[in-house]
Amino acid sequence: MALNFHPPIHYAKSEYIETDTGNKVSRRATIAGPQNIILGGKTIIASGAIIRGDLRRTGPGHAVVISLGRYCLISDGCILRPPYKTYRGNFNYYPMKIGDHVHIGSNSVVEAATIGNHVQIGKNCIIGKFTIIKDCAKIADNTVIPPNTVVPALALFAGSPGQFVEDLPESTQELIDAQTKQYYSRFQPLEQQQ
């Protein structure tokens, strides 16, 4: 069986900050309120991504936490913003939890409440407020998921508004697991030439 060779994806070492848990965060990403953002490890946050951990519930000290699991990839130009609603006259933001092995494509805007493990979100998607995406689901490129949608496990959604297209194979978890780990291992610093 021939192994597929995937060349390294090079980045300028000076452009990324690498944490002790292996997270690689672009200096050109906007991480607002970093004390309220939890990265599980081996997560890549690309140039131009915006993660809004600075948005608060009403009242002091009520920070909204955005947590990402391990082996996540937040591509260039993505915006992660916690969902919000007005309840009894109070405007509040709510936490956002993203599981392990989640790949979010370029220029997608995500305001989900929960994204499970082994989820792929394509490029240029809009994930509406309080959406729940279950494990091993896939959102095709250019899909708009309306607020409060629940995307079932092992489902492919596409279109605007996003709708169920087909069931994904049982092997989806292993495939995405392998893809995210492989991407992380290929994401290598380019040593500066003297």
Side-chain angles (χ1 to χ4, degrees):
M1 185 173 113
L3 287 172
N4 292 347
F5 176 71
H6 294 288
I9 301 161
H10 284 118
Y11 64 90
K13 192 169 181 146
S14 60
E15 193 182 311
Y16 277 77
I17 300 162
E18 186 164 352
T19 69
D20 52 4
T21 53
N23 297 307
K24 297 179 181 184
V25 181
S26 171
R27 294 180 189 275
R28 294 186 186 158
T30 302
I31 311 293
Q35 68 279 9
N36 305 324
I37 298 168
I38 299 164
L39 302 179
K42 299 198 169 168
T43 284
I44 298 170
I45 298 175
S47 175
I50 299 171
I51 301 181
R52 296 294 306 270
D54 60 330
L55 305 171
R56 302 187 164 275
R57 290 172 175 247
T58 46
H62 289 83
V64 172
V65 173
I66 297 178
S67 67
L68 287 90
R70 293 167 54 76
Y71 289 104
C72 291
L73 171 61
I74 310 304
S75 300
D76 47 312
C78 283
I79 299 173
L80 299 186
R81 195 169 41 209
Y84 60 86
K85 67 181 175 187
T86 302
Y87 178 71
R88 293 191 175 163
N90 290 327
F91 179 86
N92 277 320
Y93 286 97
Y94 292 82
M96 175 189 289
K97 183 174 187 332
I98 298 175
D100 298 335
H101 301 280
V102 173
H103 187 147
I104 302 176
S106 304
N107 303 312
S108 288
V109 177
V110 177
E111 292 184 291
T114 311
I115 297 175
N117 299 316
H118 302 96
V119 171
Q120 284 185 307
I121 296 173
K123 298 181 177 118
N124 306 313
C125 292
I126 296 174
I127 309 299
K129 291 190 284 288
F130 297 103
T131 294
I132 295 172
I133 301 176
K134 304 276 191 174
D135 293 352
C136 302
K138 185 172 183 180
I139 310 296
D141 291 350
N142 308 308
T143 298
V144 177
I145 301 288
N148 306 305
T149 301
V150 176
V151 176
L154 290 167
L156 170 63
F157 269 54
S160 178
Q163 302 197 338
F164 176 79
V165 176
E166 64 182 4
D167 287 312
L168 295 169
E170 289 292 326
S171 59
T172 297
Q173 178 173 334
E174 290 79 28
L175 290 169
I176 294 183
D177 198 276
Q179 284 172 357
T180 53
K181 285 180 176 170
Q182 186 183 69
Y183 189 95
Y184 182 84
S185 66
R186 289 167 57 207
F187 196 74
Q188 300 290 331
L190 190 63
E191 298 304 329
Q192 305 291 333
Q193 304 294 324
Q194 294 299 331

